[in-house]
Amino acid sequence: MVRYRQAGPPVAERALRQAFAQFPSGVTAIAALVDSAALGIAVSSFTSVSLEPPLASICVMENSWTWARLRTADRIGVSVLGAEHAELARRLGRATANRFTPAEWRLTDRGAIRVVGAPAWLECSLEQEIPAGDHVLALLRVEHVETRAGVRPLVYHASGFHHLAR
Ligand SMILES: Cc1cc2nc3c(=O)[nH]c(=O)nc-3n(C[C@H](O)[C@H](O)[C@H](O)COP(=O)(O)O)c2cc1C
């Protein structure tokens, strides 16, 4: 049970969302095959955590339908999305069925999903989950990585998708 300190008047959710949205980030596709279905969510809260042991983290809404299934997978794919993946990121960010088209993903031996054309891809296992308010902080152990140099990343800022200037 995590206890949260209540200090001063509560921060209005709208103001908090606006403030958080000023922080630019990349976008990842967290995805795996679960019960023969290709499941994935868009996640901008991906962060590198540790080199030894190799760890990364994501924050996922505690009531996420898809995370409840992805967390049971043997391996979870984390694809850093590229500048060409804005449309896929939108689809992975909506609570709908069939978010992937068949051409967009590849399956690994251990059931993780990798997005075709991603600048970087990490195959992870779930190490630990920590309750964090209305989200869960999931610590991921990185089991395998691949990088494609020279592919521009997708950038998320102020609720919109952007590219890095050359
Ligand atoms: C660019 C972008 C970034 C997102 N980042 C996160 C995130 O870090 N954590 C999260 O829980 N949801 C995030 N979402 C929302 C989830 O992708 C969305 O709630 C989820 O796909 C809904 O499906 P579900 O209800 O089946 O889980 C993001 C959405 C978009 C479009």
Side-chain angles (χ1 to χ4, degrees):
M1 174 73 180
V2 182
R3 291 184 185 278
Y4 297 99
R5 188 172 55 91
Q6 185 71 52
V11 178
E13 185 180 320
R14 198 174 130 82
L16 189 58
R17 279 180 187 275
Q18 270 179 1
F20 282 166
Q22 297 311 308
F23 183 68
S25 67
V27 186
T28 58
I30 309 298
L33 195 75
V34 182
D35 296 335
S36 309
L39 301 182
I41 50 176
V43 161
S44 58
S45 56
F46 171 84
T47 305
S48 58
V49 173
S50 162
L51 291 176
E52 184 49 51
L55 297 170
S57 72
I58 56 172
C59 282
V60 190
M61 282 194 298
E62 61 168 353
N63 61 359
S64 166
W65 184 94
T66 305
W67 177 248
R69 285 148 185 83
L70 287 176
R71 64 186 295 286
T72 68
D74 182 31
R75 290 285 193 272
I76 299 167
V78 178
S79 299
V80 175
L81 295 184
E84 310 307 318
H85 291 131
E87 167 53 27
L88 173 61
R90 269 185 210 100
R91 264 185 277 127
L92 292 176
R94 283 187 215 123
T96 53
N98 303 322
R99 298 175 202 176
F100 284 114
T101 64
E104 286 171 329
W105 59 279
R106 298 281 180 274
L107 188 65
T108 71
D109 296 346
R110 307 287 298 262
I113 282 181
R114 162 198 193 129
V115 169
V116 174
W121 179 75
L122 300 85
E123 188 174 60
C124 299
S125 56
L126 180 59
E127 178 86 7
Q128 195 183 344
E129 284 177 294
I130 301 155
D134 54 13
H135 280 60
V136 171
L137 198 160
L139 206 53
L140 304 173
R141 179 175 283 259
V142 183
E143 310 279 359
H144 180 73
V145 287
E146 283 178 34
T147 306
R148 290 176 70 222
V151 183
R152 286 202 297 165
L154 185 62
V155 176
Y156 191 57
H157 177 251
S159 308
F161 295 107
H162 306 272
H163 300 172
L164 291 178
R166 287 200 191 276

